[in-house]
Amino acid sequence: MKNYTNRSLFIFMLFITYTAYSQSGPKLNSFPTAAGTVYLDFDGQTVKAAAWNGGAQFVCAASGMNDTQITEIYERVAEDYRPFNIKVTTDLAVFTAAPLKQRIRVIITPTSSWYYAGVGGVAYIGSFTWGDDTPAFVFADRLFSVPKYLAECCSHESGHTVGLSHQSAYDGSCNLTQTYSTGAGTGEIGWAPIMGNSYGANMTGWNNGPTPNGCNSTQDNLSIITSQNGFTYRTDDYSDLINTSNFDLGTSSFNVSGVISTFSDKDAFKFVNNLTSQIHLEVNPASVNISNTGADLDVQMDLYDGSKTLIRSYNPPTLLNVVADTTLNAGTYYIVVSSIGNVNAANYSSLGSYTLSGVKALLPIHDVSLSGSSDKTKHNLRWKIIADEPIKTQVLEVSLDGATFRPLTTMNSAPSAFSYAPYDNATVYYRLKVTSVRDQEIYSNIIALKATEKQNKLFNVSTFVREEVSINASENYQYILSDLSGRTLRGGQGIKGINKINIQNQPAGMYVIQIINNNTTQTERIIKQ
């Protein structure tokens, strides 16, 4: 990659001519309504330009790329310029129709012997607005005709034409370590600046960082691009704010596309869930294949309920896309898509297009409603389940903050009530997790209960039992279970919280359990029915 500085180039005006070759290959156009144009010329040209080759005419051979390779190069470059009101095209007619001072031709050619060895391409800084069609060049032979390399070079050289210099890297002492910064990281989220050396990075982007002029000589790519070339960002496609007028995704499956054009841009969507259902959500950045190859955008998805309360944020740290499976009750919900960046790429550099999709499936469990009441020391919980198929398990969960829940007790499908005595008189939150025989899960509503008095006993033991003895313990303990003759049937240990002791193999009758904690022994009678 190579560039020239802007040096008294007015003498080159009106001295550029081309002998056009017949156009072949796909005609692609990223943003038809935009005036600004980056033309990727794969067809070969005879060029006579005062700015190049000392003004002597020279012939640039066709790139040698096939349609598939041309399309990949175009898609990569188009995504780099997606945030802006500018088109990337492979169509000569589109280029010639664009304003003279808002267009650039990038010639992709294996003809490189006329220019210095060792560079993959060349362009003049700021030539996009010169109005004389001074082209930029990308040398296919020097980049081994690899579409990824050619695309990176096309974006880099056209980046020079819209006013950008190189991006460099420095150490902590401000010593130059890389004239062309190679960015950071590896794999899917490995990132490099377009104006550095981005050949080896999967994720690339515009950057606000140092130039070869010094570690404190920073270059704000986005500000330069959108202020010096007659165009700015694309018009925002979706509202940033959550409200009832957000783009409506409907009540069934959906698939929409959008663009995150600035690092503060957020796209908000509304959808209505008519019945309790399981939903599969995906936000995928544009890429050249399904594994996020060549994506410029690292997305975050936030899911809100109808009251605009955040349910959850989805942002896998080592992936650029989001995939989420969840179960939602009937109601209105909002999805917000935004740029998040990652450990290698700042939010500034994470821009581009995406697709949001959702697929819903009705669950056989239609509704789970939880209610409850409290007396002096106990919380009494009741629930109702409406389902089309049998229930496998019910897990009553408890929380002290209403956000982080843990299992309190697990039951089979039969019970529809539960009582126990918490060991303080603070507010306690409950919800019920129900699992069907097909392993589909749904959560009930959350309720809050508060006992008026503290539980006096250290251990609360169920008196009438069938298959299990339930012990609600305020501390860790040991126990001995005996029959009325004093014969020990079993013993063991328990932990703070709800514990279960299986007595399924014991006959009906009365039993005695001793619970030992430090120097205290609590004795309770149990009746198996």
Side-chain angles (χ1 to χ4, degrees):
M1 298 178 182
K2 182 77 171 179
N3 71 281
Y4 274 110
T5 56
N6 190 350
R7 51 178 180 81
S8 302
L9 290 167
F10 64 90
I11 61 172
F12 300 142
M13 303 292 285
L14 306 179
F15 285 92
I16 300 171
T17 59
Y18 300 100
T19 300
Y21 290 68
S22 59
Q23 184 171 2
S24 60
K27 294 183 179 181
L28 306 167
N29 192 2
S30 65
F31 197 15
T33 60
T37 303
V38 174
Y39 171 44
L40 304 180
D41 184 351
F42 293 92
D43 301 315
Q45 293 291 329
T46 297
V47 179
K48 184 176 183 181
W52 296 121
N53 200 32
Q57 179 174 291
F58 60 104
V59 176
C60 294
S63 66
M65 299 289 104
N66 60 38
D67 288 1
T68 299
Q69 293 170 321
I70 289 172
T71 300
E72 178 181 337
I73 295 166
Y74 158 82
E75 287 179 347
R76 288 179 179 272
V77 179
E79 186 60 19
D80 289 340
Y81 283 94
R82 197 79 66 188
F84 313 116
N85 187 19
I86 186 174
K87 68 171 71 74
V88 175
T89 186
T90 61
D91 190 338
L92 176 60
V94 172
F95 169 72
T96 56
L100 274 172
K101 291 192 174 183
Q102 281 191 287
R103 70 189 195 191
I104 191 69
R105 179 195 297 254
V106 181
I107 300 174
I108 300 97
T109 178
T111 304
S112 61
S113 59
W114 63 275
Y115 195 71
Y116 303 110
V119 297
V122 64
Y124 279 99
I125 292 178
S127 55
F128 183 85
T129 62
W130 287 357
D132 66 350
D133 279 346
T134 297
F137 297 89
V138 169
F139 301 128
D141 58 322
R142 296 180 180 178
L143 297 174
F144 312 105
S145 295
V146 175
K148 156 71 171 171
Y149 297 167
L150 294 176
E152 297 301 332
C153 197
C154 285
S155 293
H156 181 104
E157 299 306 336
S158 59
H160 284 313
T161 74
V162 293
L164 303 181
S165 299
H166 291 137
Q167 305 266 217
S168 302
Y170 293 82
D171 63 19
S173 301
C174 255
N175 298 309
L176 179 67
T177 57
Q178 294 176 334
T179 302
Y180 298 81
S181 172
T182 57
T186 59
E188 184 169 318
I189 63 170
W191 174 86
I194 291 170
M195 299 313 297
N197 180 343
S198 55
Y199 294 132
N202 180 63
M203 181 186 182
T204 63
W206 307 107
N207 188 40
N208 186 4
T211 69
N213 295 328
C215 66
N216 295 317
S217 176
T218 58
Q219 175 180 245
D220 184 343
N221 287 184
L222 298 178
S223 294
I224 292 171
I225 292 172
T226 57
S227 65
Q228 298 183 9
N229 298 283
F231 64 85
T232 183
Y233 295 101
R234 290 190 183 211
T235 301
D236 193 10
D237 46 3
Y238 300 104
S239 171
D240 295 0
L241 304 176
I242 298 175
N243 54 57
T244 55
S245 63
N246 286 133
F247 184 89
D248 196 336
L249 298 171
T251 60
S252 58
S253 301
F254 50 82
N255 189 289
V256 296
S257 297
V259 177
I260 299 299
S261 54
T262 69
F263 48 84
S264 61
D265 185 16
K266 295 182 179 181
D267 291 352
F269 305 89
K270 178 182 74 174
F271 76 96
V272 177
N273 202 28
N274 289 334
L275 294 171
T276 297
S277 57
Q278 189 175 46
I279 186 166
H280 176 84
L281 297 169
E282 291 190 16
V283 185
N284 292 303
S287 61
V288 296
N289 65 35
I290 59 174
S291 59
N292 298 325
T293 302
D296 288 4
L297 176 65
D298 191 342
V299 295
Q300 174 170 301
M301 183 184 73
D302 296 324
L303 180 62
Y304 294 82
D305 64 17
S307 64
K308 305 178 186 179
T309 300
L310 179 65
I311 298 174
R312 183 174 174 181
S313 291
Y314 299 88
N315 175 34
T318 60
L319 301 175
L320 299 178
N321 66 320
V322 166
V323 177
D325 289 282
T326 188
T327 300
L328 298 176
N329 295 326
T332 298
Y333 295 88
Y334 298 93
I335 296 173
V336 177
V337 178
S338 62
S339 160
I340 191 61
N342 53 57
V343 294
N344 302 318
N347 194 24
Y348 177 104
S349 301
S350 175
L351 304 174
S353 58
Y354 66 89
T355 299
L356 165 65
S357 60
V359 178
K360 295 194 287 185
L362 293 181
L363 291 174
I365 305 172
H366 299 309
D367 185 56
V368 178
S369 57
L370 178 65
S371 61
S373 61
S374 59
D375 53 31
K376 289 184 178 181
T377 60
K378 284 188 177 183
H379 290 175
N380 304 300
L381 300 158
R382 298 170 299 279
W383 55 89
K384 182 179 180 181
I385 301 172
I386 301 175
D388 293 335
E389 63 180 26
I391 302 303
K392 182 168 65 175
T393 60
Q394 303 175 103
V395 180
L396 189 63
E397 298 182 343
V398 64
S399 170
L400 295 179
D401 60 7
T404 305
F405 285 82
R406 61 176 177 82
L408 177 63
T409 184
T410 300
M411 300 160 283
N412 60 24
S413 61
S416 60
F418 181 79
S419 296
Y420 92 114
Y423 284 94
D424 57 55
N425 57 356
T427 298
V428 182
Y429 300 86
Y430 300 94
R431 71 181 183 186
L432 185 70
K433 176 184 175 183
V434 178
T435 304
S436 73
V437 292
R438 287 196 294 166
D439 291 326
Q440 292 179 314
E441 298 176 348
I442 187 171
Y443 286 91
S444 73
N445 55 301
I446 297 172
I447 64 170
L449 297 176
K450 183 178 181 179
T452 58
E453 296 180 8
K454 289 187 68 173
Q455 167 73 355
N456 293 323
K457 291 182 178 181
L458 292 177
F459 306 97
N460 187 22
V461 182
S462 53
T463 301
F464 297 96
V465 301
R466 292 185 181 275
E467 297 180 352
E468 293 179 324
V469 178
S470 176
I471 301 175
N472 183 18
S474 62
E475 300 175 2
N476 295 344
Y477 64 90
Q478 295 178 320
Y479 74 89
I480 299 173
L481 180 68
S482 307
D483 59 21
L484 288 181
S485 68
R487 180 169 59 95
T488 299
L489 302 176
R490 63 181 301 177
Q493 296 179 335
I495 61 175
K496 181 178 179 180
I498 298 291
N499 296 259
K500 302 287 187 180
I501 301 173
N502 191 316
I503 60 170
Q504 184 178 5
N505 296 328
Q506 300 298 328
M510 185 175 292
Y511 298 87
V512 176
I513 187 168
Q514 292 181 307
I515 303 173
I516 303 100
N517 172 263
N518 296 326
N519 296 320
T520 302
T521 300
Q522 180 177 323
T523 302
E524 301 285 347
R525 289 181 180 270
I526 299 167
I527 300 175
K528 181 179 180 183
Q529 299 175 323

